[in-house]
Amino acid sequence: MDPIFANVRSATALAILLLTASTGVRAEDLPIVGTGDGIEMLQAVADSYNAEHGQARVSVPPSIGSGGAVASVGGERQKLGRVARPLTETEKAQGLVEVPLIRIPSAIFVHRGVGVATLTSAQVAAVFSGGIDNWSALGGPDLKIRVVRREETDSTLSVLRATMPGWRDLVLTSRSKTATTTQDAIATVRDTPGAIGFGPFSPNLASDFTVLSIDGRAPRDPGYPSAVTLALIYKTATKDAEASAFLAFATSDRAGQLMAERGGAPLKP
C-alpha cells in the first residue's frame, strides 16, 4: 500500500476512535428511547442485561416522551423504544409492535413542607382545578398551592382522566406550571414550596416527597385505580438479533422482579 494512503487510513481510524471516545457512544450501543415513565425500572433491567448478556450495551437515555419513541422507531432511526400508552391502529399499521412489560401506578406527590399525606379524590380534583388554592383548607399550613401539571398528551394525565374520579372532564387550573417531562415535574415540585404534581410511581419518590394516599389507598394498594402500562416497541422491519435478545430478557421473570422492586405492579393485578 502506498505510504501516503496508509497514513491517511491510520489518521482516519484514529479520528473515529477519538470521536467515539469523546461522545461515549459505541457502534454496538442499543439505546431504548422514549417515555420518562418507569425510567428507573428499565435502567435496572438494562444494567442487569449489560452485566450478564450479549455484546450490545443497552442504554436508557433521558425522556423524549412516548411520541418521541414512536417517531424514532417508526422512522427507523432506533431499533427499540419505550412507551407508556397503547399504540394506535395507525401506528400498528406502520409496522410497530408493542411488548407490555409492567404496570406503573400513577402517583400524586407534594412538596415535603405541605404536611398533608392523604386526600379524597374529590379534594385532589378541586386542587388541580384551582377550586382549592391553599393547603390550610386541607389541614395543612397557610401556604399557597402550586399546581404542576403535564401537557394533555402525557401518559399519566391520560390515565388519570380515564380512571381517577372527577378527572375525565377536569379543566386544570390556568394558574399552574406545565412540566414537559417526568423529570421536570419531579424537579419543580421538589424545589417549589407548596407544590403538587403527578407522575409514574417509584419508591424513590418517598425520599424527596410525600406521596399521597387517595381515598385511603396508596399507589400500590389493591383498588388504587390509576396506572400506566410500560411497554417496549419495535418495528418489524428493523428488529434484529440484538433487539430480540433484549426483548427476551426484558420479558423474563428476572426483569419482572427488578421492575417490581422499583414500584411496578403485575400486568394483571
Side-chain angles (χ1 to χ4, degrees):
M1 178 181 294
D2 189 307
I4 294 177
F5 288 107
N7 290 338
V8 170
R9 174 176 287 184
S10 298
T12 301
L14 178 60
I16 293 173
L17 180 62
L18 291 174
L19 178 62
T20 301
S22 66
T23 59
V25 175
R26 306 185 316 179
E28 66 269 27
D29 278 356
L30 180 63
I32 316 295
V33 300
T35 181
D37 294 10
I39 193 168
E40 295 172 354
M41 299 178 190
L42 202 54
Q43 184 63 63
V45 173
D47 289 345
S48 180
Y49 178 83
N50 291 337
E52 301 172 15
H53 299 80
Q55 309 232 338
R57 186 184 72 84
V58 175
S59 61
V60 185
S63 173
I64 58 171
S66 296
V70 169
S72 295
V73 178
E76 300 186 3
R77 296 187 296 276
Q78 301 293 349
K79 299 173 187 176
L80 293 177
R82 55 190 203 262
V83 298
R85 65 163 176 81
L87 292 175
T88 66
E89 292 304 317
T90 300
E91 291 163 351
K92 292 177 182 178
Q94 295 170 353
L96 290 173
V97 179
E98 60 187 313
V99 181
L101 298 181
I102 203 158
R103 292 171 66 249
I104 306 173
S106 305
I108 296 175
F109 48 90
V110 299
H111 187 276
R112 279 288 195 188
V114 165
V116 172
T118 183
L119 295 176
T120 67
S121 52
Q123 288 171 327
V124 171
V127 166
F128 278 91
S129 68
I132 298 176
D133 61 5
N134 195 291
W135 287 110
S136 61
L138 300 168
D142 183 9
L143 180 65
K144 184 175 178 60
I145 295 174
R146 307 285 183 179
V147 172
V148 180
R149 59 165 293 174
R150 295 294 307 276
E151 66 279 8
E152 282 296 328
T153 55
D154 173 64
S155 54
T156 304
L157 179 54
S158 296
V159 78
L160 284 168
R161 289 203 181 283
T163 60
M164 188 67 78
W167 278 68
R168 182 172 299 279
D169 300 311
L170 186 71
V171 178
L172 296 174
T173 176
S174 60
R175 300 187 302 275
S176 58
K177 171 183 167 60
T178 299
T180 57
T181 65
T182 299
Q183 294 96 318
D184 183 23
I186 288 173
T188 302
V189 175
R190 183 184 60 234
D191 298 339
T192 308
I196 182 171
F198 55 80
F201 174 75
S202 165
N204 290 338
L205 285 173
S207 63
D208 291 325
F209 309 97
T210 299
V211 179
L212 297 181
S213 292
I214 309 299
D215 294 331
R217 294 187 177 95
R220 284 199 288 188
D221 287 346
Y224 189 88
S226 294
V228 297
T229 297
L230 177 65
L232 297 181
I233 61 170
Y234 65 88
K235 192 170 184 179
T236 305
T238 55
K239 180 187 177 188
D240 59 11
E242 293 175 349
S244 297
F246 182 72
L247 285 167
F249 181 76
T251 53
S252 69
D253 290 343
R254 170 63 178 152
Q257 178 184 357
L258 289 169
M259 290 184 284
E261 290 170 353
R262 288 156 180 81
L267 292 174
K268 294 182 179 180

